[in-house]
Structure formats: C-alpha cells, structure tokens
Amino acid sequence: MKKLSKVQLKQQAAVLDAVTKLEQQALLDLPGVVQCWFSLEYEAFPVSLLVRLQFTEQAQLDAAQPQLLAWQKRLSGLLLKKGIVLKDMRKHLVFTLNSPDE
C-alpha cells in the first residue's frame, strides 16, 4: 500500500474528525445507529468522499430516512469548518444497513 502524503494525511484527519462528530451526534439523536464510516479516493477528493451511517434494522433506517437531508447538511457544515467544500452534499452521506466489512 502506498504511503499517504502530508496533504492526504491532513485531509484524512479532517474527514475523520468531522465523521466522528457526526457519529456522536447520530448516536444521540437517531435510534438504531451503530456507527458511521467513510471511504474516499485521495486522487478524487472531495468528490469521492462517501460517508455511511449504519443502522441495525430496516425499520429504524426507514424511520430516519426523512431526516437524511438534514444530516447531509450537518456533514457539509462540519466539513466546511475544516475547509472542505462539498459541491453536492447529497452525494456524500447515505443511510445503510451494511457494515464496513460488507
């Protein structure tokens, strides 16, 4: 695996901090949240960033779905504080039942 550059490490730290804050808030506000995780390709950052908020059951995911836009805005705001601008915030956060291993 290729070593990350200083810029990439800084990007990763900023995203990790924002996602951690989002996860902490989601655990308090949304029933059934298990964890929050992300994937990205550094060559296409921030377009490639995808954050997933994992739920335990389909019913809880369905109940939270109407709030998705508000959570996408929250993620966008957290990243903006870190200097990362998302052009289309709707492409970067999804609710899922899948874990990072799936």
Side-chain angles (χ1 to χ4, degrees), residues 18-23 26 30 33 35-39 46-55 61 64-65 67-79 86 88-96:
V19 168
T20 301
K21 287 178 182 175
L22 187 78
E23 178 183 49
L30 295 173
V33 170
Q35 65 181 338
C36 191
W37 49 284
F38 70 95
S39 61
V47 175
S48 65
L49 176 64
L50 180 58
V51 178
R52 296 168 186 91
L53 201 52
Q54 181 185 346
F55 287 82
L61 178 108
Q65 204 63 40
Q67 301 175 45
L68 179 59
L69 181 59
W71 284 91
Q72 290 168 333
K73 288 179 181 178
R74 193 172 286 176
L75 173 64
S76 182
L78 288 168
L79 290 171
L86 300 178
D88 185 1
M89 65 186 167
R90 293 181 176 162
K91 294 182 179 180
H92 299 284
L93 175 68
V94 294
F95 290 168
T96 184

Side-chain angles (χ1 to χ4, degrees), residues 13-31:
V15 170
L16 183 60
D17 185 56
V19 168
T20 301
K21 287 178 182 175
L22 187 78
E23 178 183 49
Q24 290 169 346
Q25 194 63 45
L27 288 168
L28 295 173
D29 295 350
L30 295 173

